[in-house]
Amino acid sequence: MRPSSVLAVLALGAASTLHAETVERMVLSRGGVVLEVSAPASGIVRIRMGRGKLPEDASWAVPAARRSARLPLKVTRRGEQVLLRTANIAARIDLRTLRTDVLDGGGRLLLADLAGRAALSPDGGFRMRGRMGGDDHVFGLGDKTGTFDRKGGAYTMWNTDTYKFTQATDPLYKTVPFFLAVSDRGQAHGLFLDNTWRTTFDFGKTERGVLSISGEGGPVDYYVMAGPAPKDVLQQYARLTGSAPLMPQWALGFQQSKWSYKTDAEVRAIARRLRSERLPSDVIYMDIDYQDRSRPFTVNRQAFPHVRRLADDLRTQGIRLVLITDPHIANAPGQGYAAYDSGAAQDLFLKLPGGRYYSGDVWPGAAVFPDFSRAQARRWWGELHAGFVSDGVAGFWNDMNEPSIFNAPGKTMPLEVVHRIESDDFAPRSTSHAEMHNVYGQLNSRATYEGLLRLQPDVRPFVLTRATYAGGQRYAATWTGDNVSSWQHLKMGMQQLVNLGLSGFSYAGNDIGGYAGERPSPELLTRWFQLGAFMPLFRAHAETGRADQEPWVGVAAQVEIRRRFISERYRLMPYLYAAAEENSRSGIPLLRPVFLNFPSVLAHGDRLGGSEDQFMIGGDLLLAPSPMLESPGDYNVELPGKGWYDYWTGRRLDGKGLVVKPDIAQLPVYVRPGAIIPRQPLVQSTAFIPEGRLELHVYPGAGCQGDIYADDGVSLAYQRGGFLRQRIRCEQTPSGLKLLFEQREGSWRPWWNGMALYVHGWDAEAAPQAYAAGGALATSVDREQNAAVILAPDLAGGVVEIDRQRAVDPQGPPQPPASAL
């Protein structure tokens, strides 16, 4: 059934009445201001305001199909208020002022008095003010510095090249105008302002208890997400702006980079050293020095005579090549520079108001810039990658795309530079850089991503971008930019990555060891590799002119620690890959604050219940580095509940809290009781097929379950059923444990020839008896892992029963119980 009226419009006055009980959207007008409320999905309301008319219904972040979807709104009039209700969310509007409260499905106030006609200024800007919840904590806004909890801070959305940024630097490289608010009770809501102009978010810094959102121009167009759990908000935000596509599996491997490896011989030497040192790795990056005079889409043939041969030889070693392709095209007419000539022939570069190309100094000197707001320019940009793709280059790195300009005010191009919007469902028009600046990096990475898909339609693209806008997670991974080799940056970087994950950008990392500044101490470099081994994007990178800081640098003891943690990441690859696949479906990030999995910890108060210092990988692994990473002092770890396990020993912990003594060779990692974690034999690259059994590490506890996910790791066949997905559950029985292997989905055939089931927390000398449908299984005890080990065939379904009460008869396997036959 259609609603009785799909649109209700009120020109408000004393005699106004509503003529519909249910509408698809509500448009209200008062004092020359128009307000629209709609509900694009369950738990989400969209609010738009304009002076005289509504702003254009177009977006670089939210695809048209998601914006145009509308759930019916039930309308109730109460005096001078209108209440609009839909699934799990409501909006209450004051008809005199157009001030709008947003409530959840149960009537709980989420945002109070945020919008009203007074928010719009005559000069085209806006300022919305509203009351904040007293016990709310605020997260998101991308990789801002400052405190982990954004409350009490003020932040500017303006993409900026910020070399050697500090704890107080703002703005940074990205604009993600989305925040997640979570109360001490674990109830959450979110807000996304879809506006690409320079905006500010003030969370009670200027006015205590007041949220203020202002902008210099552009639309008042925002979405409120009702949660109620933090994960619900992230899924609602992903429903609007999209989740990251499943990256190629090699993008989860270790990646080695530097500005720059300057010759073919040097790149080959790096690859040889990685393999001779037994340091698992998947990627080597080439920075601007591979280019001819730093010109994008060229190659210095003296230093790199055969890119195809280099890429092919690296692939035989399980290493892929990623090249930088910055958006500044050398302003070189008449010089035979193909990228300039082809772009100029199609008139694709940005211009000044008088019609001349805008030219700014970057790495190649004077440069022009593609107008990525035009679909034609994005297609041309994508085609520029054809030669590199045919040479076997696996991925591309879009840097300097804020856009960054040398020796220019604000390090970017003038605001009067003219863009021609010809794309998506925008009305064709010209606009200024003031509108397009914050989305330039996103559109640059979009052009690269879409171009690679056209060039290789069944290969997953890999794009890394420095600058971006909300929704850019659909096109590229990212990193936190030009950080510094310091303990402060290591700690701050982890919090930046967590907030990026809470802002939609799950595939993110920071430069291992630090990009700039003084050479890291051996201990700092080692600790960064340890923590980096659990980052979604694991890339070491440093600027030119610094001492080497590759993982093999330094004394043997430090190198061995780094090797051990890089290797552990590769053993954990099945777990990490399953978390990545979950992110592609749900938007739930790989790297998570503890409160995302356990919202109740926020009620503990102190350091956000540990979430300020601890973080989780997926749903099951919790890392607890020292709150002061450089300090040798003992520190307390509080875990969310009892029964957790030590990841390294498999030992079950007695209580919720423990005291940790820092050790450079160790990093505290704990496993959720009830987890089942897949691991694999060590390989030196994801390109190499592991040999032997898939390990399933079982940590008995409440809600015991885990997932296996696998596919070919590189193609889009998983979208056509070419994958393997299986859930495993475990249940306590009177005599032991039962593992239930659900039937598999998908057609992908596994590499493993059997399974090794590790049941942790085992404190008996003898192994338990274990049975599958075929009879008794071989069992043993691994003392180092505090685990009973059961060797099983590859179980595409069925049950394994583990009898704790009966020891294995050394003279021969006993008859299985009737329930196992």
Side-chain angles (χ1 to χ4, degrees), residues 514-765:
Y515 174 77
E518 298 296 324
R519 178 181 183 176
S521 68
E523 293 77 16
L524 173 59
L525 185 59
T526 295
R527 191 64 86 190
W528 218 316
F529 268 100
Q530 288 175 324
L531 289 166
F534 295 93
M535 295 178 191
L537 187 74
F538 187 19
R539 185 181 81 142
H541 184 54
E543 71 175 340
T544 190
R546 285 162 53 93
D548 291 345
Q549 60 187 57
E550 284 81 7
W552 55 76
V553 171
V555 299
Q558 298 284 350
V559 174
E560 178 54 36
I561 296 169
R562 299 166 199 158
R563 179 185 296 111
R564 180 159 54 87
F565 277 83
I566 297 172
S567 298
E568 192 60 34
R569 181 184 183 90
Y570 278 74
R571 292 188 178 96
L572 265 175
M573 191 60 68
Y575 176 77
L576 297 174
Y577 197 49
E581 194 274 335
E582 178 194 10
N583 169 255
S584 72
R585 289 182 288 109
S586 69
I588 303 299
L590 283 73
L591 185 69
R592 309 174 185 179
V594 177
F595 70 75
L596 194 62
N597 290 329
F598 301 95
S600 62
V601 300
L602 289 174
H604 298 173
D606 185 36
R607 305 187 71 79
L608 302 178
S611 284
E612 189 171 309
D613 309 306
Q614 303 170 3
F615 54 92
M616 296 191 71
I617 306 298
D620 297 326
L621 295 182
L622 186 151
L623 274 69
S626 171
M628 299 181 64
L629 289 166
E630 70 275 30
S631 172
D634 295 356
Y635 62 97
N636 295 320
V637 172
E638 290 290 328
L639 297 169
K642 296 182 179 180
W644 285 69
Y645 294 79
D646 184 293
Y647 175 75
W648 305 109
T649 67
R651 180 175 59 88
R652 186 161 186 155
L653 305 175
D654 294 332
K656 294 175 58 177
L658 62 157
V659 177
V660 175
K661 183 177 182 61
D663 180 349
I664 192 60
Q666 302 296 329
L667 178 66
V669 182
Y670 305 102
V671 186
R672 176 187 67 83
I676 300 177
I677 294 180
R679 293 169 84 245
Q680 68 182 26
L682 178 62
V683 290
Q684 294 298 301
S685 166
T686 62
F688 302 148
I689 298 174
E691 297 180 359
R693 297 176 181 269
L694 177 70
E695 298 178 6
L696 292 177
H697 290 256
V698 181
Y699 301 86
C704 185
Q705 66 178 35
D707 294 296
I708 301 171
Y709 178 83
D711 57 34
D712 65 24
V714 292
S715 80
L716 298 179
Y718 74 96
Q719 298 178 353
R720 305 184 295 272
F723 63 86
L724 181 155
R725 191 194 316 280
Q726 185 175 29
R727 170 149 292 187
I728 306 102
R729 295 180 289 113
C730 69
E731 298 175 355
Q732 301 282 348
T733 65
S735 61
L737 197 69
K738 181 186 294 185
L739 293 176
L740 300 97
F741 291 78
E742 297 183 1
Q743 294 297 312
R744 288 176 178 166
E745 302 174 48
S747 59
W748 190 80
R749 297 178 64 85
W751 54 261
W752 52 89
N753 58 20
M755 294 178 168
L757 314 177
Y758 286 73
V759 181
H760 289 279
W762 188 261
D763 56 5
E765 292 295 327

Side-chain angles (χ1 to χ4, degrees), residues 73-114:
L73 296 164
K74 185 177 181 181
V75 182
T76 304
R77 171 82 176 260
R78 294 173 181 167
E80 293 297 327
Q81 288 186 341
V82 171
L83 181 67
L84 308 173
R85 289 179 294 164
T86 189
N88 304 315
I89 199 165
R92 184 172 58 208
I93 306 166
D94 186 309
L95 299 180
R96 296 162 298 180
T97 65
L98 299 186
R99 288 188 176 273
T100 305
D101 297 339
V102 181
L103 307 94
D104 67 12
R108 180 176 66 94
L109 188 64
L110 303 178
L111 287 170
D113 299 335
L114 188 61

Side-chain angles (χ1 to χ4, degrees), residues 291 296-297 324-330 337 339 342-343 346 348-349 368-372 374-386 388 396-399 401 440-441 443-452 454-455 463:
Q291 298 168 347
F297 303 102
I324 198 167
T325 51
D326 292 339
H328 42 252
I329 301 298
Y337 176 32
S342 62
Q346 299 178 60
L348 299 178
F349 300 128
V368 292
F369 297 82
D371 187 354
F372 293 116
R374 301 174 61 191
Q376 181 184 354
R378 293 200 303 273
R379 188 173 187 91
W380 160 83
W381 174 267
E383 291 169 352
L384 291 177
H385 294 78
F388 288 144
F396 295 90
W397 170 21
N398 297 155
D399 199 358
N401 55 357
Y440 191 83
L443 293 175
N444 174 208
S445 61
R446 174 181 174 181
T448 308
Y449 179 88
E450 292 175 345
L452 295 179
R454 287 192 298 271
L455 291 168
V463 182

Side-chain angles (χ1 to χ4, degrees), residues 388-459:
F388 288 144
V389 169
S390 67
D391 281 343
V393 175
F396 295 90
W397 170 21
N398 297 155
D399 199 358
M400 305 293 289
N401 55 357
E402 290 71 31
S404 178
I405 312 292
F406 298 160
N407 308 314
K411 294 185 175 182
T412 196
M413 61 181 60
L415 298 186
E416 63 265 24
V417 166
V418 178
H419 295 249
R420 289 165 54 192
I421 297 178
E422 297 169 350
S423 180
D424 298 47
D425 55 350
F426 286 86
R429 59 184 171 89
S430 293
T431 190
S432 71
H433 190 66
E435 178 180 353
M436 298 306 298
H437 174 85
N438 281 337
V439 79
Y440 191 83
Q442 187 232 54
L443 293 175
N444 174 208
S445 61
R446 174 181 174 181
T448 308
Y449 179 88
E450 292 175 345
L452 295 179
L453 267 182
R454 287 192 298 271
L455 291 168
Q456 296 180 300
D458 200 37
V459 176

Side-chain angles (χ1 to χ4, degrees), residues 51-52 54 126 191 207 212 277 351 387 630 713 739 745 754 793:
R51 188 168 293 282
L54 292 170
F126 64 89
L191 183 145
E207 298 178 82
S212 175
E277 293 281 354
K351 296 180 179 180
E630 70 275 30
L739 293 176
E745 302 174 48

Side-chain angles (χ1 to χ4, degrees), residues 796-813:
V799 177
V800 172
E801 291 198 45
I802 302 169
D803 191 339
R804 294 177 178 272
Q805 297 180 358
R806 299 173 63 190
V808 170
D809 184 349
Q811 303 302 317

Side-chain angles (χ1 to χ4, degrees), residues 178 180 230-238 501-502 586-589 596:
F178 163 78
L180 167 72
K231 281 186 179 179
D232 296 329
V233 175
L234 298 191
Q235 290 176 304
Q236 289 159 350
Y237 179 66
L502 294 176
S586 69
I588 303 299
L596 194 62

